[in-house]
Amino acid sequence: MFEEYQRKNDSANFNITLYISLFCFFLLFAFYLPISETVSKIYLNGNLTYNKSILIIGIFSILALITYSVYVIYIKKGLILNLTKKYKDRKINRSLLYLLTVLLPLIFLLLGATITVLVKGGTILNYHFKGII
């Protein structure tokens, strides 16, 4: 993707930082949501409540921390350039690249919510799941 942004003369550093950050955030979401709901149900009898203001501030703080970390690791330290040089000879079909670029973050986002419903119980597409816990 980084090479595609460079080829299109787009802001490659900015775009790849945001994409990797969003990817990591959705991956973290896929793990955190089922774990937090499981801990809440087992140890707190499902009585864990969230203040919306604190939750929003926390989510954006985590997203900002992830974005800053990705910028430092991939852009400032030059890891993205090293990866570009290392895999320069490998080619991937552009259609497959764009498909993976869109689908992987969505899969992680939906995976977290789906696992949470399967573990905790709930309804997905008019199918009710009792839940494991």
Side-chain angles (χ1 to χ4, degrees):
M1 278 183 42
F2 183 74
E3 290 177 347
E4 283 291 313
Y5 286 131
Q6 285 181 328
R7 188 181 62 78
K8 291 182 180 179
N9 213 9
D10 203 354
S11 177
N13 290 342
F14 179 74
N15 288 330
I16 202 69
T17 300
L18 290 181
Y19 178 77
I20 294 172
S21 299
L22 192 66
F23 183 85
C24 292
F25 182 75
F26 287 163
L27 182 63
L28 181 68
F29 178 78
F31 287 110
Y32 173 75
L33 188 61
I35 291 171
S36 70
E37 289 297 326
T38 303
V39 168
S40 171
K41 197 156 189 175
I42 291 174
Y43 295 111
L44 303 173
N45 297 323
N47 293 330
L48 183 63
T49 58
Y50 298 103
N51 183 340
K52 288 183 183 181
S53 301
I54 294 174
L55 185 64
I56 290 171
I57 290 169
I59 287 171
F60 282 113
S61 298
I62 290 171
L63 187 56
L65 182 66
I66 290 172
T67 303
Y68 179 72
S69 300
V70 166
Y71 173 75
V72 168
I73 292 169
Y74 284 93
I75 305 302
K76 210 165 189 179
K77 291 187 178 179
L79 181 62
I80 195 74
L81 296 174
N82 292 339
L83 290 172
T84 304
K85 288 176 188 174
K86 182 177 180 181
Y87 296 107
K88 188 173 186 170
D89 296 333
R90 299 210 180 163
K91 300 294 180 195
I92 187 170
N93 185 343
R94 282 198 180 124
S95 301
L96 180 62
L97 174 69
Y98 293 146
L99 184 68
L100 289 175
T101 301
V102 171
L103 283 183
L104 282 177
L106 287 176
I107 287 171
F108 286 131
L109 183 65
L110 295 174
L111 184 67
T114 304
I115 292 173
T116 302
V117 169
L118 294 175
V119 169
K120 183 181 173 185
T123 303
I124 300 177
L125 299 174
N126 290 331
Y127 291 102
H128 185 71
F129 297 95
K130 186 176 180 183
I132 297 171
I133 300 175

